[in-house]
Short mmCIF file of all heavy atoms in Angstrom, two decimals:
data_model
loop_
_atom_site.label_atom_id
_atom_site.label_comp_id
_atom_site.label_asym_id
_atom_site.label_seq_id
_atom_site.Cartn_x
_atom_site.Cartn_y
_atom_site.Cartn_z
N MET A 1 -2.21 11.72 -4.78
CA MET A 1 -1.45 10.88 -3.86
C MET A 1 -1.45 9.41 -4.48
O MET A 1 -2.54 8.98 -4.91
CB MET A 1 -2.08 10.80 -2.40
CG MET A 1 -1.05 10.13 -1.49
SD MET A 1 0.62 10.87 -1.44
CE MET A 1 0.27 12.40 -0.56
N ALA A 2 -0.36 8.77 -4.48
CA ALA A 2 -0.12 7.44 -5.17
C ALA A 2 -0.71 6.35 -4.22
O ALA A 2 -0.40 6.40 -3.05
CB ALA A 2 1.33 7.33 -5.44
N LYS A 3 -1.40 5.42 -4.93
CA LYS A 3 -1.70 4.23 -4.10
C LYS A 3 -1.05 2.94 -4.73
O LYS A 3 -0.84 2.85 -5.95
CB LYS A 3 -3.31 4.04 -4.38
CG LYS A 3 -4.00 4.92 -3.41
CD LYS A 3 -5.63 4.61 -3.39
CE LYS A 3 -6.37 5.49 -2.52
NZ LYS A 3 -7.83 5.16 -2.48
N LYS A 4 -0.77 2.11 -3.97
CA LYS A 4 -0.12 0.80 -4.31
C LYS A 4 -0.90 -0.27 -3.82
O LYS A 4 -1.51 -0.37 -2.74
CB LYS A 4 1.27 0.70 -3.79
CG LYS A 4 2.27 1.59 -4.55
CD LYS A 4 3.69 1.33 -3.99
CE LYS A 4 4.72 1.94 -5.01
NZ LYS A 4 4.70 3.50 -4.96
N LEU A 5 -1.16 -1.38 -4.73
CA LEU A 5 -1.77 -2.54 -4.38
C LEU A 5 -0.69 -3.49 -3.95
O LEU A 5 0.17 -3.88 -4.85
CB LEU A 5 -2.72 -3.08 -5.51
CG LEU A 5 -3.56 -4.37 -5.25
CD1 LEU A 5 -4.43 -4.12 -4.13
CD2 LEU A 5 -4.23 -4.81 -6.51
N VAL A 6 -0.69 -4.05 -2.78
CA VAL A 6 0.37 -4.91 -2.22
C VAL A 6 -0.08 -6.22 -2.04
O VAL A 6 -0.97 -6.42 -1.15
CB VAL A 6 0.96 -4.25 -0.91
CG1 VAL A 6 2.37 -5.04 -0.47
CG2 VAL A 6 1.39 -2.73 -1.17
N SER A 7 0.36 -7.25 -2.78
CA SER A 7 -0.08 -8.56 -2.54
C SER A 7 0.75 -9.33 -1.37
O SER A 7 2.01 -9.18 -1.41
CB SER A 7 0.13 -9.53 -3.78
OG SER A 7 -0.83 -8.98 -4.79
N ILE A 8 0.10 -9.95 -0.43
CA ILE A 8 0.83 -10.36 0.75
C ILE A 8 0.48 -11.77 1.01
O ILE A 8 -0.71 -12.23 0.88
CB ILE A 8 0.35 -9.54 1.91
CG1 ILE A 8 0.58 -8.03 1.79
CG2 ILE A 8 0.89 -10.06 3.28
CD1 ILE A 8 -0.24 -7.18 2.67
N GLU A 9 1.51 -12.59 1.33
CA GLU A 9 1.34 -13.99 1.75
C GLU A 9 1.44 -14.17 3.18
O GLU A 9 2.31 -13.48 3.87
CB GLU A 9 2.47 -14.82 0.98
CG GLU A 9 1.89 -15.66 -0.23
CD GLU A 9 3.09 -16.46 -0.80
OE1 GLU A 9 4.22 -16.47 -0.25
OE2 GLU A 9 2.95 -16.74 -1.99
N GLY A 10 0.74 -15.09 3.67
CA GLY A 10 0.96 -15.36 5.15
C GLY A 10 -0.04 -15.02 6.12
O GLY A 10 -0.03 -15.37 7.18
N MET A 11 -1.06 -14.11 5.59
CA MET A 11 -1.99 -13.56 6.58
C MET A 11 -3.13 -14.67 6.86
O MET A 11 -3.64 -15.32 5.90
CB MET A 11 -2.70 -12.33 6.07
CG MET A 11 -1.71 -11.16 6.13
SD MET A 11 -2.56 -9.55 5.83
CE MET A 11 -3.23 -9.82 4.14
N LYS A 12 -3.55 -15.01 8.11
CA LYS A 12 -4.58 -15.99 8.41
C LYS A 12 -5.80 -15.52 9.28
O LYS A 12 -6.79 -16.18 9.29
CB LYS A 12 -3.88 -17.17 9.15
CG LYS A 12 -2.90 -18.02 8.26
CD LYS A 12 -2.41 -19.19 8.90
CE LYS A 12 -1.63 -20.06 8.00
NZ LYS A 12 -0.45 -19.45 7.44
N CYS A 13 -5.59 -14.47 9.99
CA CYS A 13 -6.68 -13.96 10.79
C CYS A 13 -6.63 -12.46 11.01
O CYS A 13 -5.73 -11.76 10.35
CB CYS A 13 -6.54 -14.75 12.24
SG CYS A 13 -5.15 -14.03 13.03
N ASP A 14 -7.62 -11.91 11.72
CA ASP A 14 -7.71 -10.49 11.88
C ASP A 14 -6.46 -10.05 12.61
O ASP A 14 -5.99 -8.80 12.47
CB ASP A 14 -8.86 -10.20 12.67
CG ASP A 14 -10.15 -10.26 11.86
OD1 ASP A 14 -10.04 -10.38 10.64
OD2 ASP A 14 -11.26 -10.46 12.43
N GLY A 15 -5.88 -10.79 13.48
CA GLY A 15 -4.54 -10.44 14.11
C GLY A 15 -3.33 -10.07 13.14
O GLY A 15 -2.70 -9.10 13.27
N CYS A 16 -3.33 -10.91 12.02
CA CYS A 16 -2.42 -10.84 11.04
C CYS A 16 -2.67 -9.40 10.31
O CYS A 16 -1.83 -8.66 9.96
CB CYS A 16 -2.50 -11.90 9.90
SG CYS A 16 -2.08 -13.49 10.70
N VAL A 17 -3.90 -9.18 10.00
CA VAL A 17 -4.30 -7.98 9.34
C VAL A 17 -3.91 -6.76 10.11
O VAL A 17 -3.21 -5.81 9.66
CB VAL A 17 -5.88 -7.89 9.13
CG1 VAL A 17 -6.24 -6.46 8.76
CG2 VAL A 17 -6.25 -8.90 8.21
N GLU A 18 -3.99 -6.84 11.39
CA GLU A 18 -3.63 -5.70 12.38
C GLU A 18 -2.05 -5.61 12.41
O GLU A 18 -1.50 -4.42 12.33
CB GLU A 18 -4.10 -6.12 13.75
CG GLU A 18 -4.19 -4.91 14.59
CD GLU A 18 -4.92 -5.11 15.95
OE1 GLU A 18 -5.91 -5.83 16.03
OE2 GLU A 18 -4.25 -4.77 17.06
N ASN A 19 -1.31 -6.52 12.42
CA ASN A 19 0.08 -6.65 12.40
C ASN A 19 0.61 -5.91 11.06
O ASN A 19 1.49 -5.01 11.17
CB ASN A 19 0.67 -7.96 12.37
CG ASN A 19 0.46 -8.62 13.71
OD1 ASN A 19 0.21 -7.98 14.82
ND2 ASN A 19 0.46 -10.01 13.89
N VAL A 20 0.05 -6.46 9.91
CA VAL A 20 0.46 -5.83 8.70
C VAL A 20 0.11 -4.34 8.49
O VAL A 20 0.90 -3.52 8.14
CB VAL A 20 -0.13 -6.49 7.52
CG1 VAL A 20 0.09 -5.87 6.15
CG2 VAL A 20 0.37 -8.04 7.41
N THR A 21 -1.14 -3.92 9.03
CA THR A 21 -1.48 -2.59 9.11
C THR A 21 -0.63 -1.71 9.84
O THR A 21 -0.22 -0.69 9.40
CB THR A 21 -3.03 -2.55 9.55
OG1 THR A 21 -3.93 -3.32 8.74
CG2 THR A 21 -3.52 -1.03 9.68
N LYS A 22 -0.16 -2.29 11.03
CA LYS A 22 0.71 -1.46 11.85
C LYS A 22 2.04 -1.29 11.18
O LYS A 22 2.64 -0.25 11.27
CB LYS A 22 0.76 -2.18 13.33
CG LYS A 22 -0.24 -1.91 14.12
CD LYS A 22 -0.04 -2.42 15.64
CE LYS A 22 -1.23 -2.34 16.44
NZ LYS A 22 -1.14 -3.31 17.61
N ALA A 23 2.52 -2.34 10.59
CA ALA A 23 3.88 -2.30 9.97
C ALA A 23 3.88 -1.31 8.77
O ALA A 23 4.84 -0.59 8.76
CB ALA A 23 4.21 -3.79 9.54
N PHE A 24 2.98 -1.41 8.01
CA PHE A 24 2.95 -0.37 6.90
C PHE A 24 2.64 0.93 7.52
O PHE A 24 3.21 2.00 6.88
CB PHE A 24 1.88 -0.83 5.84
CG PHE A 24 2.25 -2.12 4.98
CD1 PHE A 24 1.27 -2.69 4.17
CD2 PHE A 24 3.57 -2.58 5.02
CE1 PHE A 24 1.69 -3.73 3.43
CE2 PHE A 24 3.94 -3.70 4.21
CZ PHE A 24 3.03 -4.26 3.42
N SER A 25 1.81 1.15 8.33
CA SER A 25 1.43 2.46 8.84
C SER A 25 2.64 3.24 9.47
O SER A 25 2.68 4.45 9.42
CB SER A 25 0.29 2.39 9.82
OG SER A 25 -0.88 1.85 9.23
N ALA A 26 3.59 2.41 9.86
CA ALA A 26 4.76 3.05 10.60
C ALA A 26 5.78 3.59 9.62
O ALA A 26 6.61 4.35 9.97
CB ALA A 26 5.37 1.89 11.40
N LEU A 27 5.63 3.26 8.32
CA LEU A 27 6.46 3.63 7.32
C LEU A 27 6.46 5.14 6.98
O LEU A 27 5.22 5.76 6.90
CB LEU A 27 6.42 2.87 6.05
CG LEU A 27 6.73 1.41 6.03
CD1 LEU A 27 6.23 0.79 4.74
CD2 LEU A 27 8.31 1.29 6.26
N ASN A 28 7.54 5.75 6.75
CA ASN A 28 7.50 7.34 6.32
C ASN A 28 6.74 7.50 5.06
O ASN A 28 7.01 6.62 4.13
CB ASN A 28 8.90 7.78 6.22
CG ASN A 28 9.54 8.19 7.53
OD1 ASN A 28 8.91 8.49 8.38
ND2 ASN A 28 10.82 8.23 7.56
N GLY A 29 5.92 8.39 5.00
CA GLY A 29 5.20 8.74 3.70
C GLY A 29 3.95 8.02 3.56
O GLY A 29 3.21 8.24 2.58
N VAL A 30 3.62 7.13 4.44
CA VAL A 30 2.34 6.32 4.28
C VAL A 30 1.10 7.17 5.06
O VAL A 30 1.22 7.58 6.24
CB VAL A 30 2.36 4.83 4.97
CG1 VAL A 30 0.99 4.36 4.99
CG2 VAL A 30 3.37 4.08 4.07
N ASN A 31 0.12 7.51 4.28
CA ASN A 31 -1.05 8.12 4.86
C ASN A 31 -2.13 7.31 5.17
O ASN A 31 -2.77 7.53 6.22
CB ASN A 31 -1.66 9.13 3.81
CG ASN A 31 -0.57 10.25 3.48
OD1 ASN A 31 0.20 10.73 4.29
ND2 ASN A 31 -0.39 10.50 2.14
N ASN A 32 -2.42 6.21 4.57
CA ASN A 32 -3.57 5.19 4.93
C ASN A 32 -3.22 3.78 4.40
O ASN A 32 -2.64 3.51 3.39
CB ASN A 32 -4.75 5.75 4.29
CG ASN A 32 -6.05 5.02 4.82
OD1 ASN A 32 -6.11 4.97 6.03
ND2 ASN A 32 -6.82 4.48 3.93
N VAL A 33 -3.61 2.90 5.26
CA VAL A 33 -3.41 1.33 4.83
C VAL A 33 -4.78 0.66 4.99
O VAL A 33 -5.42 0.85 6.10
CB VAL A 33 -2.36 0.76 5.71
CG1 VAL A 33 -2.19 -0.72 5.34
CG2 VAL A 33 -1.12 1.49 5.63
N GLU A 34 -5.22 -0.05 3.95
CA GLU A 34 -6.34 -0.71 4.04
C GLU A 34 -5.94 -2.31 3.86
O GLU A 34 -5.71 -2.70 2.65
CB GLU A 34 -7.53 -0.29 3.09
CG GLU A 34 -8.07 0.88 3.55
CD GLU A 34 -9.11 1.36 2.49
OE1 GLU A 34 -9.84 0.64 1.89
OE2 GLU A 34 -9.20 2.61 2.25
N VAL A 35 -5.92 -3.24 4.68
CA VAL A 35 -5.47 -4.54 4.52
C VAL A 35 -6.74 -5.39 4.50
O VAL A 35 -7.69 -5.24 5.25
CB VAL A 35 -4.67 -4.97 5.71
CG1 VAL A 35 -4.29 -6.44 5.45
CG2 VAL A 35 -3.39 -4.11 5.88
N SER A 36 -6.76 -6.28 3.41
CA SER A 36 -7.85 -7.24 3.22
C SER A 36 -7.39 -8.66 3.47
O SER A 36 -6.43 -9.15 2.65
CB SER A 36 -8.46 -7.07 1.88
OG SER A 36 -9.38 -8.19 1.58
N LEU A 37 -7.89 -9.33 4.40
CA LEU A 37 -7.54 -10.76 4.61
C LEU A 37 -8.02 -11.51 3.45
O LEU A 37 -7.31 -12.57 2.97
CB LEU A 37 -8.19 -11.17 5.93
CG LEU A 37 -7.96 -12.68 6.48
CD1 LEU A 37 -6.50 -12.98 6.55
CD2 LEU A 37 -8.70 -12.92 7.71
N GLU A 38 -9.34 -11.26 3.09
CA GLU A 38 -10.02 -12.06 2.03
C GLU A 38 -9.22 -12.03 0.70
O GLU A 38 -9.04 -12.91 -0.07
CB GLU A 38 -11.36 -11.53 1.84
CG GLU A 38 -12.18 -12.29 0.90
CD GLU A 38 -13.64 -11.68 0.96
OE1 GLU A 38 -14.20 -11.39 2.08
OE2 GLU A 38 -14.33 -11.73 -0.27
N ASN A 39 -8.74 -10.94 0.33
CA ASN A 39 -8.09 -10.57 -0.82
C ASN A 39 -6.48 -10.74 -0.92
O ASN A 39 -5.84 -10.69 -1.74
CB ASN A 39 -8.35 -9.16 -1.38
CG ASN A 39 -9.80 -8.93 -1.76
OD1 ASN A 39 -10.53 -9.87 -2.14
ND2 ASN A 39 -10.19 -7.72 -1.50
N LYS A 40 -6.10 -11.01 0.45
CA LYS A 40 -4.61 -11.16 0.57
C LYS A 40 -3.75 -10.05 0.01
O LYS A 40 -2.84 -10.26 -0.71
CB LYS A 40 -4.21 -12.46 0.00
CG LYS A 40 -4.84 -13.66 0.66
CD LYS A 40 -4.45 -15.04 0.00
CE LYS A 40 -5.03 -16.15 0.74
NZ LYS A 40 -5.09 -17.47 -0.04
N ASN A 41 -4.35 -8.91 0.39
CA ASN A 41 -3.54 -7.73 -0.19
C ASN A 41 -3.76 -6.44 0.68
O ASN A 41 -4.56 -6.51 1.68
CB ASN A 41 -3.84 -7.51 -1.59
CG ASN A 41 -5.28 -6.94 -1.85
OD1 ASN A 41 -5.88 -6.45 -1.00
ND2 ASN A 41 -5.83 -7.15 -3.02
N ALA A 42 -3.01 -5.55 0.40
CA ALA A 42 -3.22 -4.16 1.05
C ALA A 42 -3.26 -2.84 0.06
O ALA A 42 -2.45 -3.04 -0.94
CB ALA A 42 -2.13 -3.87 2.07
N ILE A 43 -4.00 -2.01 0.33
CA ILE A 43 -3.99 -0.78 -0.40
C ILE A 43 -3.37 0.30 0.40
O ILE A 43 -3.76 0.49 1.47
CB ILE A 43 -5.44 -0.41 -0.88
CG1 ILE A 43 -6.14 -1.48 -1.82
CG2 ILE A 43 -5.33 1.01 -1.62
CD1 ILE A 43 -7.46 -1.06 -2.06
N VAL A 44 -2.04 0.61 0.01
CA VAL A 44 -1.31 1.63 0.63
C VAL A 44 -1.35 2.83 -0.05
O VAL A 44 -0.98 3.01 -1.13
CB VAL A 44 0.11 1.07 0.85
CG1 VAL A 44 0.97 2.08 1.59
CG2 VAL A 44 0.22 -0.36 1.51
N ASP A 45 -1.82 3.99 0.67
CA ASP A 45 -1.98 5.25 0.08
C ASP A 45 -0.79 6.14 0.77
O ASP A 45 -0.69 6.29 1.88
CB ASP A 45 -3.30 5.75 0.48
CG ASP A 45 -3.68 7.18 -0.14
OD1 ASP A 45 -2.65 7.71 -0.88
OD2 ASP A 45 -4.77 7.62 0.00
N GLY A 46 -0.03 6.59 -0.26
CA GLY A 46 1.12 7.47 0.29
C GLY A 46 2.38 7.40 -0.71
O GLY A 46 2.28 6.72 -1.75
N ASP A 47 3.38 7.99 -0.24
CA ASP A 47 4.70 7.95 -1.05
C ASP A 47 5.61 7.00 -0.42
O ASP A 47 6.35 7.49 0.46
CB ASP A 47 5.08 9.44 -1.25
CG ASP A 47 6.28 9.59 -2.13
OD1 ASP A 47 6.54 8.71 -2.90
OD2 ASP A 47 6.94 10.64 -2.02
N VAL A 48 5.62 5.76 -0.84
CA VAL A 48 6.46 4.93 -0.26
C VAL A 48 7.06 3.94 -1.23
O VAL A 48 6.41 3.55 -2.20
CB VAL A 48 5.71 4.09 0.83
CG1 VAL A 48 4.46 3.35 0.35
CG2 VAL A 48 6.63 3.17 1.69
N ALA A 49 8.29 3.52 -1.04
CA ALA A 49 8.98 2.68 -2.10
C ALA A 49 8.65 1.12 -1.86
O ALA A 49 8.36 0.77 -0.73
CB ALA A 49 10.47 2.79 -2.06
N GLU A 50 8.66 0.40 -2.90
CA GLU A 50 8.45 -1.07 -2.72
C GLU A 50 9.37 -1.72 -1.79
O GLU A 50 8.95 -2.54 -1.13
CB GLU A 50 8.56 -1.68 -4.31
CG GLU A 50 8.26 -3.14 -4.29
CD GLU A 50 8.10 -3.66 -5.67
OE1 GLU A 50 7.95 -2.89 -6.59
OE2 GLU A 50 8.21 -4.96 -5.81
N ALA A 51 10.49 -1.33 -1.92
CA ALA A 51 11.50 -1.91 -1.05
C ALA A 51 11.20 -1.72 0.52
O ALA A 51 11.49 -2.62 1.25
CB ALA A 51 12.97 -1.34 -1.35
N ASP A 52 10.65 -0.62 0.77
CA ASP A 52 10.32 -0.25 2.15
C ASP A 52 9.23 -1.19 2.57
O ASP A 52 9.09 -1.51 3.72
CB ASP A 52 9.91 1.17 2.27
CG ASP A 52 11.23 2.16 2.15
OD1 ASP A 52 12.43 1.58 2.39
OD2 ASP A 52 11.05 3.31 1.83
N LEU A 53 8.31 -1.32 1.65
CA LEU A 53 7.12 -2.10 1.97
C LEU A 53 7.48 -3.55 2.35
O LEU A 53 7.06 -4.24 3.27
CB LEU A 53 6.08 -2.17 0.93
CG LEU A 53 5.38 -0.83 0.61
CD1 LEU A 53 4.57 -0.91 -0.74
CD2 LEU A 53 4.40 -0.63 1.72
N LYS A 54 8.48 -4.04 1.50
CA LYS A 54 9.02 -5.45 1.69
C LYS A 54 9.83 -5.42 3.02
O LYS A 54 9.72 -6.53 3.72
CB LYS A 54 9.96 -5.88 0.49
CG LYS A 54 9.07 -6.11 -0.71
CD LYS A 54 9.97 -6.51 -1.83
CE LYS A 54 9.13 -7.03 -3.06
NZ LYS A 54 9.83 -7.30 -4.33
N ALA A 55 10.55 -4.46 3.29
CA ALA A 55 11.43 -4.45 4.51
C ALA A 55 10.57 -4.36 5.70
O ALA A 55 10.86 -4.97 6.71
CB ALA A 55 12.31 -3.18 4.36
N ALA A 56 9.41 -3.72 5.58
CA ALA A 56 8.44 -3.76 6.75
C ALA A 56 7.99 -4.94 7.32
O ALA A 56 7.67 -5.18 8.50
CB ALA A 56 7.33 -2.76 6.42
N LEU A 57 7.88 -5.97 6.41
CA LEU A 57 7.48 -7.21 6.72
C LEU A 57 8.62 -8.31 6.81
O LEU A 57 8.31 -9.63 7.07
CB LEU A 57 6.39 -7.69 5.69
CG LEU A 57 5.10 -6.89 5.62
CD1 LEU A 57 4.19 -7.65 4.60
CD2 LEU A 57 4.50 -6.69 6.83
N ALA A 58 9.79 -7.85 6.69
CA ALA A 58 10.97 -8.81 6.74
C ALA A 58 11.11 -9.82 7.85
O ALA A 58 11.47 -10.91 7.85
CB ALA A 58 12.23 -8.00 6.44
N ASP A 59 10.74 -9.24 8.88
CA ASP A 59 10.97 -9.91 10.25
C ASP A 59 9.60 -10.46 10.82
O ASP A 59 9.48 -10.80 12.04
CB ASP A 59 11.68 -9.06 11.37
CG ASP A 59 13.08 -8.74 10.90
OD1 ASP A 59 13.77 -9.67 10.25
OD2 ASP A 59 13.62 -7.75 11.34
N THR A 60 8.73 -10.65 9.85
CA THR A 60 7.29 -11.12 10.25
C THR A 60 7.09 -12.38 9.56
O THR A 60 7.86 -13.01 8.89
CB THR A 60 6.34 -10.22 9.96
OG1 THR A 60 6.09 -10.11 8.43
CG2 THR A 60 6.55 -8.82 10.26
N HIS A 61 5.84 -12.99 9.94
CA HIS A 61 5.47 -14.23 9.24
C HIS A 61 4.88 -14.03 7.73
O HIS A 61 4.41 -14.85 7.25
CB HIS A 61 4.35 -14.94 10.06
CG HIS A 61 4.79 -15.34 11.37
ND1 HIS A 61 5.77 -16.33 11.65
CD2 HIS A 61 4.45 -14.90 12.72
CE1 HIS A 61 5.95 -16.48 12.84
NE2 HIS A 61 5.15 -15.57 13.60
N TYR A 62 4.88 -12.74 7.49
CA TYR A 62 4.16 -12.32 6.24
C TYR A 62 5.23 -11.91 5.21
O TYR A 62 6.39 -11.52 5.60
CB TYR A 62 3.20 -11.18 6.39
CG TYR A 62 2.51 -11.36 7.77
CD1 TYR A 62 2.72 -10.29 8.76
CD2 TYR A 62 1.59 -12.35 8.05
CE1 TYR A 62 2.10 -10.56 10.08
CE2 TYR A 62 1.02 -12.49 9.31
CZ TYR A 62 1.35 -11.60 10.36
OH TYR A 62 0.69 -11.80 11.48
N SER A 63 4.86 -11.89 3.89
CA SER A 63 5.82 -11.35 2.97
C SER A 63 5.06 -10.76 1.80
O SER A 63 4.02 -11.10 1.43
CB SER A 63 6.82 -12.45 2.39
OG SER A 63 5.85 -13.57 1.86
N VAL A 64 5.70 -9.77 1.26
CA VAL A 64 5.23 -9.06 0.11
C VAL A 64 5.60 -9.76 -1.12
O VAL A 64 6.73 -10.06 -1.30
CB VAL A 64 5.80 -7.61 -0.06
CG1 VAL A 64 5.36 -6.86 -1.31
CG2 VAL A 64 5.30 -6.71 1.14
N VAL A 65 4.51 -10.24 -1.87
CA VAL A 65 4.82 -10.97 -3.14
C VAL A 65 4.81 -10.19 -4.45
O VAL A 65 5.33 -10.56 -5.52
CB VAL A 65 3.97 -12.31 -3.22
CG1 VAL A 65 4.37 -13.23 -2.19
CG2 VAL A 65 2.53 -11.86 -3.24
N ALA A 66 4.03 -9.10 -4.42
CA ALA A 66 3.97 -8.18 -5.52
C ALA A 66 3.38 -6.82 -5.16
O ALA A 66 2.68 -6.63 -4.17
CB ALA A 66 2.97 -8.83 -6.47
N VAL A 67 3.88 -5.81 -5.85
CA VAL A 67 3.48 -4.47 -5.65
C VAL A 67 3.07 -3.81 -7.01
O VAL A 67 3.91 -3.94 -7.99
CB VAL A 67 4.58 -3.62 -4.90
CG1 VAL A 67 4.15 -2.24 -4.78
CG2 VAL A 67 4.99 -4.16 -3.61
N GLU A 68 1.87 -3.33 -7.10
CA GLU A 68 1.63 -2.67 -8.41
C GLU A 68 1.05 -1.25 -8.12
O GLU A 68 0.22 -1.05 -7.05
CB GLU A 68 0.82 -3.41 -9.24
CG GLU A 68 -0.58 -3.87 -8.70
CD GLU A 68 -1.27 -4.88 -9.66
OE1 GLU A 68 -1.94 -4.29 -10.58
OE2 GLU A 68 -1.25 -6.07 -9.43
N ASN A 69 1.27 -0.33 -8.96
CA ASN A 69 0.66 1.04 -8.78
C ASN A 69 -0.71 0.94 -9.13
O ASN A 69 -1.13 0.25 -10.16
CB ASN A 69 1.44 1.95 -9.53
CG ASN A 69 2.93 2.24 -9.12
OD1 ASN A 69 3.14 2.39 -7.95
ND2 ASN A 69 3.80 2.28 -10.01
N MET A 70 -1.63 1.74 -8.50
CA MET A 70 -3.11 1.75 -8.85
C MET A 70 -3.45 3.04 -9.68
O MET A 70 -2.67 4.02 -9.46
CB MET A 70 -3.74 1.64 -7.47
CG MET A 70 -3.55 0.37 -6.76
SD MET A 70 -4.50 0.37 -5.33
CE MET A 70 -6.20 0.03 -5.92
CU1 CU B 101 -3.23 -14.20 12.26
#
């Protein structure tokens, strides 16, 4: 199963982590999401497109700044 490292801007607290976790978890094909406030990123396990990850945060205070395959 593919994992992606998603760099995220705008997270400031555990509430932000929860919001991003929920947004990514709701996407089709996503099996697991681990968001790190400290590292400002998320490890997304599943079959999901970069565009969908960006779209998931489009209406939030956060934004996807980079996505790389792990
Ligand atoms: Cu917050």
Side-chain angles (χ1 to χ4, degrees):
M1 190 57 70
K3 283 189 181 180
K4 286 185 165 63
L5 184 64
V6 184
S7 299
I8 299 162
E9 252 174 20
M11 294 192 295
K12 293 188 169 62
C13 70
D14 288 341
C16 298
V17 169
E18 200 170 313
N19 292 338
V20 171
T21 301
K22 280 182 186 166
F24 285 169
S25 296
L27 293 171
N28 279 336
V30 171
N31 294 321
N32 191 53
V33 180
E34 286 175 43
V35 178
S36 168
L37 180 61
E38 189 176 322
N39 297 328
K40 296 178 177 158
N41 64 24
I43 296 171
V44 177
D45 189 348
D47 185 14
V48 61
E50 179 169 343
D52 290 337
L53 293 166
K54 288 182 172 174
L57 300 186
D59 292 330
T60 69
H61 299 294
Y62 326 111
S63 58
V64 171
V65 292
V67 178
E68 56 185 284
N69 293 316
M70 298 180 73

